[in-house]
């Protein structure tokens, strides 16, 4: 027997504990291990292959002689570079764990304005509250590679639990952050001026495991969890427990259905980190799968007073399981528990419609994280405050939207500061506000009106339209659909007449059905379908 | 009759493979379907590929039954083909039964009975057709041929994937339920905007799921689309997902297994190798057909073998000489790992890059400078040629 060690031509990988496959020349599998774990092996010729989470391969061929230890040094496989060949994703050491690397050099002079805001979870009020100063991030720097257009921000998760991502006229995105560790936000700009945001965990091994898992590289993920750095002993130790890494391992075990390991992991998670909704959900899902449904439901009922799970998988597991239980006959679970389960389900389902399930971390839309919606950010991002990261550290500006003497102010709707009010007054260029829950309809009307020269703002229900008005927006005309969730067209009209009576805002309500005379010279119904000519005529008539 | 393969008598108490395959292209009540128009079509039109795709999945099963881990015992086929598909593939005529709600529920009930006869049995479910979500994006609602008939609620002629999945779990009544179950849902998962106006939209139950016992199924659900997105098809031909799926099952998702006493390696396709390979191929077809489809896996994705391969899969290989200036003096040899010469390419290698196929395996690939040239050197490698593709660049510069 000989000892086979592993190393990489690119030393960056040497520290990463990447999973490897060792195969004979006839391709029979000899072993799976981590690069940090040498193996005993009989003499012969072997292939050693590492597949990165991005799908790219590193490999080495090694001749093992009896009694002589040897190191396989893995390098990139030589690709022909032909565009016709099936490609894995672009790659650089900086991006080994993520797919967002982009081959374009950083030369995007005109980026989409981008801001971040941070929120804390208040245990007493069960609400996310805006963190009014910038102490939630530790540093702001460009990424390590000059080839990619990135900005990195380290978020201190003892100060912030949720980060909000704002771009003009785009849906507002909220990302729940893993606590209690710090994590890295990586913002990458693409040539089309758009950018993406990745959350990278402090625990590099857990981060890799998650990436392997979500990309369907289960063999590699299974090898990862053999690492002692991802062992129960390591992640639940007194000195350095890591609930987030433990949660990632447990979610993977749920996906891969390893019941023996799951029992121990879920017990430990649930016992030690009950404050983490994910641990409650994982435990409950495990119990359900082993047929302990009573206990599973009891466990799930603990979610109510807790926060949302940090991971999207958690939300799906909880909703699927709760739906099943609330539809189970009363004789199995008593009615009181079913009623409670239904209430939790309703609470979770309120979010689920706004969740982006392609992200592993729970990511949902809405300007107010406590009330998810499809709301888009306004053109003037400065009204929201937060941190401007459009051009990275060089243009870091003070938090515009909040009074520094009013730390951790409770979130309501974004309130304009005196500076913002001035900005609103100076730029009363928005002439029309289009409101409809059908995004395609909003876009269609807004685009048509923009084409003929109107400044147009958009909202996706009455409530978000009202929020815009309360924040200082003063359109000349509001064109609103009648039937909308949250606040319908008539409700919006009444609110406008009550709160903004002096502004004489014209309201046109679009309706496919019966209309009534509102008895208001500055308000009218428009019967669907109507042409753009009809609409322009109506605007001309009132404006 | 939906039961198009029935070999239950041959099983004699042994485990078997039970398939339920459905494809709906023609929707009686959607525009162009010829029936009484649906009260609201929600923007949905007739389709031209799902029934043919379902038929192709059925054909694959038939042709590869000897590769399945357990004998193929039953296959139930429900097809509602479009006229275009019928004229292009005459075998669809009269094959199986139309995929109406009633037929589907009957076939599913019988399928579950068969699946519940042995824990070591395997099941496979494939549905191609229109799919929607309600206001909860984790939904996957499958629309039957008679969707929109105006009877009952809007989704009365539709079924919920979760209902099928949980209904197939083992239970007190069905303790011997097959533990390996494959689900392929080749349908959109988007929310028609008008659905937001409804409080609750019940589907028709296929099963009444019970609060089960220990659920240790290996039961991945391969969704052709992530929540809130669409699945696409090549008009009149095949869905992108089924194209990628069958490409993978043809061998490109293959993995080499353990060697036997003679040192021979049996190749196989597993749930995990299929997940990985599907991702690659769907990405490629997205690129070719300008689509943006992204599949996802739900259910319980523990690994299990799906099928074996008769031989190592064919791998598309591309060889290139670097630099191109060395082409005139570079000969290429390809040998197996016993050093038997398989192919020799005389200079200049033409066409360049050179493309062909090789069975997966280990090969010795040499680039020999002939005649010797002071600025170039010979180059030799012993690479693993693994599916789906292999590219190799011989760098001969000193």
């Amino acid at each position: 027997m000989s000892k086979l060690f592993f190393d990489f031509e690119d030393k960056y990988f040497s520290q990463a504990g990447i999973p490897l496959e060792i195969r004979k020349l006839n391709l029979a599998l000899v072993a799976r291990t981590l690069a940090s774990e040498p193996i005993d092996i009989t003499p012969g010729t072997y292939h050693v292959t590492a597949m990165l989470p991005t799908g790219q391969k590193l490999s080495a061929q090694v001749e093992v002689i009896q009694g002589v230890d040897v190191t396989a040094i893995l390098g990139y496989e030589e690709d022909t570079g032909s565009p016709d060949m099936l490609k894995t994703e672009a790659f650089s050491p900086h991006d080994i764990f993520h797919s967002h690397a982009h081959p374009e050099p950083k030369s995007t002079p005109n980026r989409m304005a981008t801001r971040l805001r941070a929120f804390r979870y208040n245990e007493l009020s069960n609400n996310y509250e805006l963190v009014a100063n910038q102490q939630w991030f530790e540093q702001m720097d460009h990424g390590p590679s000059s080839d990619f257009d990135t900005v990195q921000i380290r978020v201190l998760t003892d100060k912030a639990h949720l980060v909000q991502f704002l771009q003009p006229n785009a849906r507002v995105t909220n990302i729940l952050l893993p606590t209690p560790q710090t994590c890295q936000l990586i913002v990458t700009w693409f040539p089309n001026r758009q950018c993406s945001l990745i959350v990278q965990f402090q625990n590099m091994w857990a981060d890799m495991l998650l990436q392997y898992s979500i990309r369907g590289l289960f063999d590699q993920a299974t090898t990862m969890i053999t690492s002692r750095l991802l062992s129960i002993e390591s992640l639940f130790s007194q000195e350095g427990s890591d609930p987030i890494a433990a949660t990632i391992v447990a979610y993977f075990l749920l996906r891969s259905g390893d019941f023996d390991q799951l029992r121990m992991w879920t017990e430990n998670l649930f016992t030690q980190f009950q404050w983490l909704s994910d641990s409650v959900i994982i435990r409950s899902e495990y119990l359900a799968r082993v047929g302990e449904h009573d206990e599973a439901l009891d466990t799930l009922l603990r979610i109510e007073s807790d926060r949302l799970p940090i991971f999207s998988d958690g939300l799906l597991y909880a909703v699927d399981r709760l739906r099943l239980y609330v539809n189970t006959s009363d004789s199995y679970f008593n009615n009181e528990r079913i009623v409670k389960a239904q209430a939790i389900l309703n609470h979770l389902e309120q979010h689920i419609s706004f969740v982006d399930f392609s992200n592993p971390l729970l990511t949902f839309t809405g300007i107010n994280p406590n009330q998810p919606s499809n709301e888009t950010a306004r053109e003037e991002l400065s009204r929201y405050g937060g941190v401007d990261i459009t051009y990275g550290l060089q243009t870091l500006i003070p938090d515009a939207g909040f009074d520094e003497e009013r730390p951790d102010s409770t979130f309501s709707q974004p309130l304009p500061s005196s500076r913002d009010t001035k900005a609103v007054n100076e730029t009363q260029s928005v002439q029309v506000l289009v409101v409809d829950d059908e995004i395609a309809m909003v876009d269609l009307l807004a685009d048509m009106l923009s084409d003929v020269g109107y400044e147009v703002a958009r909202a996706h229900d009455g409530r978000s339209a009202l929020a815009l008005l309360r924040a200082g927006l003063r359109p000349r005309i509001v064109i609103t659909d009648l039937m909308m969730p949250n606040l319908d067209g008539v409700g919006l009209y009444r609110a406008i007449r009550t709160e903004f009576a002096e502004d004489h805002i014209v309201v046109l309500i679009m309706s496919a059905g019966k209309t009534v005379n509102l008895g208001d010279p500055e308000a009218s119904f428009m019967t669907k379908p109507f042409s753009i000519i009809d609409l322009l005529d109506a605007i001309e008539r009132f404006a | 009759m939906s039961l198009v393969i029935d070999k239950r008598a041959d099983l004699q108490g042994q485990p078997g493979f039970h398939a339920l395959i459905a494809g709906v292209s023609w929707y009686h009540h959607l525009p162009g379907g010829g029936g009484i128009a649906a009260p609201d079509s929600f923007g949905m039109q007739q389709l031209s590929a799902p029934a043919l795709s379902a038929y192709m999945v059925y054909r694959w099963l038939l042709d590869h039954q000897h590769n399945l881990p357990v004998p193929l015992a039953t296959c139930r086929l429900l097809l509602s083909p479009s006229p275009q598909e019928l004229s292009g593939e005459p075998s669809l005529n009269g094959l199986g039964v139309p995929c109406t709600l009633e037929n589907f529920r009957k076939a599913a009930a019988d399928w579950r009975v068969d699946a519940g006869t042995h824990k070591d049995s395997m099941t496979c479910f494939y549905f191609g057709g229109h799919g929607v979500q309600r206001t909860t994006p984790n939904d996957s609602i499958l629309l039957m041929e008679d969707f929109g008939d105006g009877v009952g609620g809007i989704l009365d002629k539709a079924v919920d994937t979760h209902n099928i999945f949980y209904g197939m779990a083992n239970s007190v009544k069905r303790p011997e339920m097959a533990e390996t179950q494959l689900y392929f849902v080749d349908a959109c998962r988007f929310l028609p905007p008008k659905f937001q106006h409804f409080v609750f939209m019940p589907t028709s139950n296929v099963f009444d799921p019970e609060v089960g016992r220990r659920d240790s199924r290996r039961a991945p659900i391969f969704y052709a689309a992530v929540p809130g997105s669409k699945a696409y098809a090549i008009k009149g031909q095949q869905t992108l997902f089924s194209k990628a799926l069958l490409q993978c099952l043809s061998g490109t998702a293959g993995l080499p297994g353990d060697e036997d006493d003679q040192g021979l390696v049996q190749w196989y396709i597993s749930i995990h190798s299929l997940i990985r390979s599907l991702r690659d191929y769907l990405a490629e077809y997205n690129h070719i057909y300008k689509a943006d489809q992204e599949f996802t896996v739900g259910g319980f994705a523990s690994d299990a073998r799906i099928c074996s391969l008769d031989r190592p899969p064919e791998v598309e290989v591309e060889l290139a000489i670097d630099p191109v200036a060395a082409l005139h003096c570079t000969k290429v040899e390809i040998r197996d790992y016993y050093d038997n010469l398989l192919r020799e390419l005389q200079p200049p290698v033409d066409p360049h890059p050179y493309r062909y196929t090789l069975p997966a395996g280990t090969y010795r690939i040499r680039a020999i400078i002939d005649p010797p040239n002071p600025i170039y050197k010979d180059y030799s490698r012993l690479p693993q040629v693994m599916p789906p593709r292999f590219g190799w660049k011989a760098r001969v510069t000193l």
Side-chain angles (χ1 to χ4, degrees):
Chain A
M1 285 293 237
S2 303
K3 202 71 139 179
L4 178 57
F5 294 86
F6 311 98
D7 203 351
F8 295 87
E9 286 173 0
D10 186 334
K11 297 298 175 196
Y12 180 85
F13 299 121
S14 303
Q15 54 182 310
I18 290 173
L20 306 174
E21 267 185 7
I22 298 99
R23 289 184 183 274
K24 292 183 178 178
L25 290 188
N26 66 0
L27 303 184
L29 182 66
V30 174
R32 288 199 168 98
T33 187
L34 294 165
S36 52
E37 311 281 339
I39 60 165
D40 292 322
I41 197 164
T42 55
T45 306
Y46 299 94
H47 281 296
V48 184
T49 312
M51 185 177 281
L52 301 174
T54 52
Q56 191 153 2
K57 278 185 179 173
L58 298 118
S59 65
Q61 180 201 320
V62 62
E63 192 81 36
V64 178
I65 301 165
Q66 178 65 38
V68 179
D69 292 348
V70 63
T71 301
I73 299 174
L74 286 82
Y76 299 117
E77 291 200 341
E78 288 150 337
D79 193 298
T80 57
S82 162
D84 295 339
M85 296 296 285
L86 188 67
K87 289 288 189 204
T88 50
E89 293 161 67
F91 171 85
S92 85
H94 162 56
D95 287 293
I96 59 170
F97 309 126
H98 301 287
S99 64
H100 296 265
H102 201 282
E104 294 295 325
K106 51 186 289 186
S107 57
T108 320
N110 190 18
R111 292 181 189 158
M112 183 76 77
T114 307
R115 275 177 176 252
L116 297 177
R117 297 200 304 180
F119 292 79
R120 270 182 78 90
Y121 187 74
N122 185 324
E123 302 277 356
L124 296 174
S125 64
N126 283 341
N127 266 326
Y128 286 99
E129 296 176 350
L130 199 56
V131 178
N133 56 48
Q134 293 171 11
Q135 302 311 307
W136 52 270
F137 67 91
E138 191 173 70
Q139 63 181 16
M140 198 167 176
D141 201 359
H142 282 290
S145 164
S146 59
D147 294 336
F148 301 98
D149 206 5
T150 65
V151 169
Q152 293 195 18
I153 298 154
R154 189 181 295 279
V155 181
L156 303 175
T157 50
D158 58 337
K159 297 197 169 62
H161 301 142
L162 180 148
V163 163
Q164 192 169 69
F165 188 67
L166 296 146
Q167 290 193 315
N169 299 323
R171 287 190 191 177
V172 180
T173 305
N174 301 286
I175 304 173
L176 284 180
L177 299 174
T179 56
Q181 56 179 317
T182 55
C183 59
Q184 194 96 346
L185 299 181
I186 300 174
V187 183
T188 306
W189 270 270
F190 297 104
N192 62 3
R193 299 170 64 216
Q194 301 286 354
C195 70
S196 72
L197 188 146
I198 305 166
V199 178
Q200 198 172 50
F201 304 115
Q202 193 178 39
N203 186 321
M204 181 198 248
W205 288 269
D207 199 276
M208 269 177 84
L209 172 62
L210 182 65
Q211 297 303 322
Y212 279 123
S213 172
I214 60 179
R215 281 154 202 273
L217 298 168
F218 282 67
D219 291 335
Q220 285 74 12
T222 304
T223 308
M224 286 292 308
I225 59 173
T226 62
S227 164
R228 71 194 149 72
L229 293 162
L230 293 178
S231 66
I232 285 189
E233 294 75 22
S234 165
L235 298 181
F236 294 100
S237 69
Q238 292 278 324
E239 306 79 43
S241 68
D242 188 340
I244 300 307
T247 301
I248 291 171
V249 174
Y251 273 126
F252 173 69
L253 291 173
L254 269 183
R255 281 188 126 195
S256 60
D258 187 335
F259 281 83
D260 294 335
Q261 289 209 60
L262 265 172
R263 187 181 60 78
M264 291 184 296
W265 280 89
T266 61
E267 263 176 27
N268 277 290
L269 260 178
F270 187 65
T271 311
Q272 295 195 31
F273 309 119
Q274 251 188 64
W275 51 268
L276 185 66
S277 287
D278 298 81
S279 77
V280 175
I281 292 164
I282 289 167
R283 176 68 180 162
S284 138
E285 181 62 21
Y286 164 73
L287 290 168
R289 287 203 202 167
V290 295
E292 302 288 341
H293 297 283
D294 262 319
E295 207 182 327
L297 178 57
D298 280 343
T299 307
L300 271 178
L301 295 183
R302 292 169 185 265
I303 294 176
E304 190 174 31
S305 59
D306 270 325
R307 304 176 200 174
L308 289 166
I310 290 169
F311 292 91
S312 309
D313 273 359
L315 193 63
L316 289 182
Y317 282 127
V319 167
D320 280 356
R321 198 52 73 178
L322 283 166
R323 272 199 211 145
L324 204 63
Y325 287 161
V326 299
N327 289 316
T328 304
S329 69
D330 292 353
S331 57
Y332 196 93
F333 301 116
N334 70 43
N335 194 46
E336 190 185 335
R337 289 198 295 165
I338 291 296
V339 168
K340 205 169 171 194
Q342 183 69 62
I344 297 171
L345 181 60
N346 292 345
H347 170 69
L348 295 179
E349 284 189 333
Q350 181 193 336
H351 279 81
I352 207 166
S353 299
F354 304 98
V355 170
D356 174 3
F357 285 98
S358 62
N359 272 323
L361 282 173
L362 192 64
T363 304
F364 58 94
T365 52
I367 190 71
N368 179 352
N370 300 302
Q371 291 174 338
S373 69
N374 280 328
E375 216 168 329
T376 56
R378 287 177 296 165
E379 188 67 42
E380 289 291 318
L381 291 187
S382 59
R383 293 176 189 178
Y384 295 102
V387 179
D388 188 333
I389 58 162
T390 314
Y391 291 97
L393 186 62
Q394 294 91 323
T395 57
L396 182 63
I397 59 164
D399 190 340
F402 294 87
D403 187 345
E404 290 288 338
E405 293 174 8
R406 197 161 48 93
D408 293 354
S409 59
T410 302
F411 180 87
S412 59
Q413 296 299 335
L415 295 170
S417 66
S418 56
R419 190 169 113 185
D420 291 332
T421 310
K422 186 180 171 206
V424 171
N425 291 339
E426 284 176 355
T427 57
Q428 280 187 342
S429 54
V430 174
Q431 296 160 301
V432 183
L433 171 62
V434 179
V435 191
D436 198 320
D437 59 323
E438 285 191 33
I439 296 164
M441 178 60 86
V442 173
D443 291 344
L444 179 72
L445 287 178
D447 289 348
M448 286 195 302
L449 291 170
S450 296
D451 286 347
V452 293
Y454 287 101
E455 289 290 328
V456 185
R458 309 164 197 225
H460 295 292
D461 60 30
R463 191 163 62 193
S464 53
L466 203 53
L468 290 174
L469 297 168
R470 285 171 180 163
L473 188 77
R474 289 294 177 274
R476 180 73 192 94
I477 297 180
V478 173
I479 301 171
T480 177
D481 192 27
L482 175 63
M483 299 292 287
M484 291 183 296
N486 298 325
L487 182 64
D488 67 14
V490 172
L492 175 63
Y493 160 72
R494 288 184 181 136
I496 289 171
R497 284 294 170 264
T498 307
E499 293 186 40
F500 311 102
E502 293 178 2
D503 292 305
H504 300 287
I505 296 170
V506 172
V507 181
L508 297 178
I509 303 172
M510 304 178 286
S511 168
K514 201 174 157 185
T515 63
V516 293
N517 185 350
L518 293 166
D520 179 342
E522 289 182 323
S524 174
F525 273 90
M526 286 195 69
T527 307
K528 291 183 191 173
F530 53 78
S531 69
I532 183 67
I533 304 294
D534 298 335
L535 180 64
L536 291 175
D537 283 349
I539 292 173
E540 285 292 309
R541 201 163 59 245
F542 285 104
Chain B
M1 186 168 170
S2 67
L3 192 62
V4 291
I5 297 172
D6 183 7
K7 297 180 181 176
R8 287 174 290 189
D10 300 343
L11 288 180
Q12 299 187 335
Q14 294 303 303
F17 193 101
H18 303 281
L20 174 61
I21 298 172
V24 190
S25 301
W26 181 71
Y27 282 86
H28 197 53
H29 303 287
L30 291 184
I36 296 167
D40 196 332
S41 67
F42 300 98
M44 287 182 277
Q45 304 289 328
Q46 298 296 324
L47 302 174
S48 65
L52 191 54
S53 301
Y55 171 73
M56 287 170 163
V57 172
Y58 158 71
R59 284 301 318 178
W60 180 88
L61 200 58
L62 211 55
D63 296 343
H64 295 83
Q65 53 182 300
H66 61 284
N67 295 113
L68 299 172
V70 290
L72 178 60
T74 63
C75 180
R76 292 176 172 82
L77 190 59
L78 299 102
L79 298 175
S80 300
S82 62
Q84 195 178 352
E85 288 167 304
L86 279 171
S87 62
E89 179 54 71
S91 312
L92 293 175
N93 267 304
L95 186 61
V97 294
C99 191
T100 59
L101 176 69
E102 188 184 343
N103 287 342
F104 183 88
R105 293 213 290 195
K106 173 76 175 72
D110 294 343
W111 174 59
R112 183 166 73 160
V113 169
D114 288 335
T117 55
H118 203 296
K119 267 182 186 299
D120 295 332
S121 286
M122 279 180 77
T123 68
C124 172
F125 172 78
Y126 174 90
F127 176 87
H130 274 305
V132 292
Q133 287 189 324
R134 292 169 293 192
T135 48
T136 48
N138 195 29
D139 255 0
S140 171
I141 306 300
L142 315 176
L143 307 189
M144 301 290 116
E145 179 199 297
D146 41 353
F147 167 76
D149 63 358
V151 178
I154 288 167
L155 295 180
D156 188 64
K157 300 301 181 293
V159 300
D160 182 348
T161 303
H162 285 91
N163 177 264
I164 298 170
F165 180 79
Y166 286 114
M168 286 291 286
N170 74 36
S171 66
V172 177
K173 282 185 191 163
R174 277 172 290 280
E176 291 297 311
M177 182 56 75
E179 291 215 320
T180 306
Q181 304 180 353
L182 309 171
Y183 295 84
F184 300 99
V185 179
D186 193 358
C188 294
R189 297 177 75 189
F190 83 102
L191 171 73
K194 288 181 183 172
F195 277 21
Q196 295 180 21
H197 300 159
F198 297 93
V199 177
F200 182 59
M201 302 178 77
T203 56
S204 284
N205 271 357
V206 179
F207 304 127
D208 292 314
E210 295 171 49
V211 181
R213 306 184 311 170
R214 180 185 172 101
D215 195 351
S216 50
R217 281 182 293 171
R218 296 169 289 273
I221 308 175
F222 293 84
Y223 291 107
V226 295
S229 71
K230 291 189 175 180
Y232 297 93
I234 309 156
K235 215 165 186 176
Q237 295 182 36
Q238 200 175 356
T239 63
L240 287 194
F241 179 77
S242 71
K243 191 175 171 69
L245 174 65
L246 294 177
Q247 174 68 42
C248 293
L249 291 176
S250 73
T252 52
L255 273 182
D258 298 330
E259 60 185 338
D260 61 18
D261 296 342
Q262 279 82 48
L264 294 174
V265 172
Q266 171 76 63
W267 283 71
Y268 68 97
I269 293 171
S270 72
I271 290 171
H272 289 179
S273 74
L274 180 60
I275 291 172
R276 191 186 60 198
S277 189
L278 257 178
R279 204 171 293 278
D280 289 342
Y281 272 95
L282 203 54
E284 186 182 51
Y285 292 146
N286 274 337
H287 178 70
I288 293 170
Y289 297 105
K290 310 277 182 268
D292 58 355
Q293 191 170 332
E294 190 181 344
F295 94 107
T296 186
V297 181
F300 311 149
S302 347
D303 206 14
R305 288 198 180 199
I306 295 174
C307 62
S308 60
L309 301 176
D310 294 331
R311 59 189 76 82
E314 293 291 311
V315 180
E316 291 177 42
V317 176
E318 183 180 271
L319 299 181
I321 307 297
D322 181 30
V324 176
L327 268 177
H328 71 283
C329 63
T330 305
K331 181 173 82 172
V332 172
E333 282 182 3
I334 298 159
R335 295 170 182 269
D336 64 19
Y337 68 88
Y338 298 113
D339 219 25
N340 301 312
L341 183 65
L342 302 177
R343 192 169 290 229
E344 191 174 47
L345 306 172
Q346 295 297 332
V349 172
D350 184 30
H352 185 264
Y354 186 78
R355 288 174 189 165
Y356 62 106
T357 59
L358 276 175
T362 300
Y363 295 88
R364 185 170 296 286
I365 302 177
R366 284 199 184 110
I368 302 159
I369 305 302
D370 184 21
N373 186 307
I375 60 169
Y376 302 124
K377 63 174 182 187
D378 289 355
Y379 185 93
S380 178
R381 286 287 186 277
L382 194 68
Q384 281 182 325
V385 174
M386 296 277 270
R389 292 186 183 137
F390 175 76
W392 178 71
K393 186 179 274 186
R395 294 201 168 87
V396 295
T397 310
L398 271 176

